[in-house]
Amino acid sequence: MQKSATEQLLKRAEVMCQRRGVRMTPTRREVFAILTEQEGAVGAYDLLDLLKAEVPNAKPPTIYRALEFLQSQGFVHKVSSSNSYVLCSHFEKQHPVQMLICTHCGNVQEIHSSGVHQAFVEQAEKEGFTVQQQTVEALGICSNCQHSQ
Ligand SMILES: [Zn+2]
Ligand SMILES: [Zn+2]
């Protein structure tokens, strides 16, 4: 992502934080900025290494606390199947998340199909289950990787 795009996204996130009365601390801001610069999802320890360039005394709890915050604000999605994190660029509203994860290059593409979401919720309701949060992860090969093979 280009610098200006990173700045814009950060500004949007900061506006959200102000509105919600939560604090975007320098460390949280830094982790957010690092994530905007990554192509796909990134593991916590890789993030920690990158963070150390800016915050030399950063420790694992530093990164986990920052990620927890960013996740709770919807700025970041966790990719459970690879235990990594990816930035969300549509964080202004709550949305169903379906992630297309390339097993070849690690790229993660987010799609929001309300049809998929609705079908899922309805099936769950039939089981008497109330869905609070839904993330669907699909593993496969992205179009870039298919074309470069
Ligand atoms: Zn998202
Ligand atoms: Zn790929």
Side-chain angles (χ1 to χ4, degrees), residues 102 104-105 142 145:
C102 179
H104 193 76
C105 68
C142 76
C145 288

Side-chain angles (χ1 to χ4, degrees), residues 124-136:
E125 269 170 7
K126 278 184 196 145
E127 306 294 329
F129 188 92
T130 305
V131 177
Q132 290 176 323
Q133 193 206 349
Q134 180 211 110
T135 306
V136 176

Side-chain angles (χ1 to χ4, degrees), residues 103-117:
T103 52
H104 193 76
C105 68
N107 186 46
V108 178
Q109 197 188 335
E110 205 182 313
I111 53 174
H112 309 116
S113 160
S114 44
V116 168
H117 179 65

Side-chain angles (χ1 to χ4, degrees), residues 9-123:
L9 215 59
L10 260 169
K11 217 164 269 162
R12 277 165 54 198
E14 277 172 342
V15 169
M16 293 282 298
C17 286
Q18 262 171 16
R19 225 180 276 157
R20 291 170 177 164
V22 295
R23 261 186 78 214
M24 182 69 112
T25 62
T27 308
R28 291 166 176 175
R29 196 178 195 282
E30 195 54 48
V31 175
F32 186 102
I34 291 169
L35 277 164
T36 63
E37 285 153 16
Q38 308 306 309
E39 284 291 326
V42 197
Y45 279 87
D46 289 334
L47 279 170
L48 180 60
D49 282 341
L50 293 164
L51 181 65
K52 276 182 176 161
E54 299 293 327
V55 187
N57 61 350
K59 301 263 179 337
T62 318
I63 197 83
Y64 281 113
R65 273 200 298 265
L67 285 169
E68 207 173 293
F69 171 81
L70 296 172
Q71 253 188 287
S72 71
Q73 298 304 314
F75 302 151
V76 163
H77 296 306
K78 185 174 183 183
V79 185
S80 302
S81 54
S82 59
N83 200 19
S84 54
Y85 300 84
V86 66
L87 196 78
C88 173
S89 51
H90 347 69
F91 49 72
E92 271 88 355
K93 47 178 184 180
Q94 276 251 324
H95 53 268
V97 186
Q98 293 111 21
M99 287 189 273
L100 307 178
I101 302 155
C102 179
T103 52
H104 193 76
C105 68
N107 186 46
V108 178
Q109 197 188 335
E110 205 182 313
I111 53 174
H112 309 116
S113 160
S114 44
V116 168
H117 179 65
Q118 206 43 47
F120 205 100
V121 167
E122 278 165 18
Q123 287 289 322

